[in-house]
Structures are given as structure tokens and as C-alpha cells.
Amino acid sequence: MIEYLQDFTSQVPQALQWIVVILLGMVPFVESYNGSALGVVAGLPVFVAVPAAVAGNLVSMLAVVAVSSRVRERVLAGRGGDASEPSPRRAKLKERFDRYGVAGVALLGPLALPSQITAAATVSFGATRGAVVFWHAVAIVLWGVGVGVLVSLGVAVLT
């Protein structure tokens, strides 16, 4: 399977290979860590696959934070600043946010949810855009580099 993916990737022009990994990084549940892994397994050097996947994930996260922030402002303005009673699911997520903070949600969130969802949730709970962007950027880089390096070591052993 790895050889097939590498053969297929070798037929794609090099200029397009990293663009594909950037696009993969933008996809929820693929993100920087799976995008890095796929890029490395496909045959891209780790120093190309990881930054490309991280860049894609960062772009999508920044877009989600910007949109979520505007939506939150409009919703609160329409309600006069009052928040309605949250659903049980949202209340559980808010409890996690209150317990772990922006940093904890950003760093641990990829274990359960994509960064786009956790970023939107933390903004909706009232976290500042700056804190959400900072901590999610840290998490995206750490997860992308960590998984990318581990996969590159594993691929080197398998080939």
C-alpha cells in the first residue's frame, strides 16, 4: 500500500504535491497530524509534508475563528448580551472548557474533535480570539510535527 501511494505521488508534479498536503491539512479530522502523516507516507520529505499540513490547518482554523467570532458578536447583540440555556451537549463541552481552559482544549482537543470545532467552541464560550489563535496554533504545530516525525521514522523502518 505504501509503495502504491509513493508511486502515485511520484507521478504528480512536485509543485503540486505540497499543495495537496496543504489542502489535506484544511480538512477537519485530517488536519496537520494526519496531513503530515499522509504526506510522509506518500513520499514527501518530512520537512515539506509537515509545514504544508500545518499551514493548511492554520489557515482553516483562522477562518473558523474569524467567522465564529463575528457570529458570536451578532448573536449576543441580538439577545442583548444574555445567553440562553445551553443544550446538554453544549453544557458538557462548556464544562470541559471551564476545567481545562483554552490551552487544554486546544492541546487535548485533537484526541476527540478537529481543531476547527474546538476553536469555534472556545470562541463561542467567550475566549478571546488572540488566545484561541495562539493556543490552537501551538497545538497544530505540535501535533503536526510530532506525528510527522514519528511517521517518517516508521516509514524509514518499513522501507
Side-chain angles (χ1 to χ4, degrees):
M1 172 92 152
I2 292 174
E3 289 175 13
Y4 172 77
L5 185 58
Q6 289 173 341
D7 288 341
F8 175 77
T9 304
S10 68
Q11 296 173 12
V12 176
Q14 277 190 324
L16 296 178
Q17 291 174 358
W18 63 271
I19 292 172
V20 170
V21 176
I22 288 174
L23 295 173
L24 285 171
M26 292 177 154
V27 177
F29 293 106
V30 175
E31 306 200 34
S32 67
Y33 47 95
N34 288 323
S36 295
L38 288 170
V40 169
V41 169
L44 288 171
V46 70
F47 59 86
V48 173
V50 170
V54 165
N57 200 180
L58 285 172
V59 167
S60 66
M61 181 271 301
L62 290 170
V64 166
V65 168
V67 170
S68 298
S69 179
R70 287 189 188 109
V71 167
R72 181 177 192 277
E73 290 168 2
R74 288 184 181 170
V75 167
L76 290 178
R79 292 183 184 167
D82 295 334
S84 64
E85 188 65 30
S87 68
R89 189 175 191 183
R90 183 170 166 80
K92 188 174 182 177
L93 190 56
K94 174 76 165 110
E95 176 189 327
R96 298 290 193 293
F97 171 73
D98 291 339
R99 182 181 304 159
Y100 300 114
V102 176
V105 170
L107 294 169
L108 298 174
L111 296 171
L113 295 169
S115 60
Q116 295 89 341
I117 292 174
T118 57
T122 52
V123 167
S124 75
F125 296 141
T128 64
R129 282 189 298 188
V132 172
V133 167
F134 174 78
W135 283 109
H136 277 81
V138 168
I140 288 167
V141 169
L142 289 175
W143 278 92
V145 169
V147 171
V149 168
L150 289 173
V151 168
S152 71
L153 294 173
V155 168
V157 169
L158 291 174
T159 55

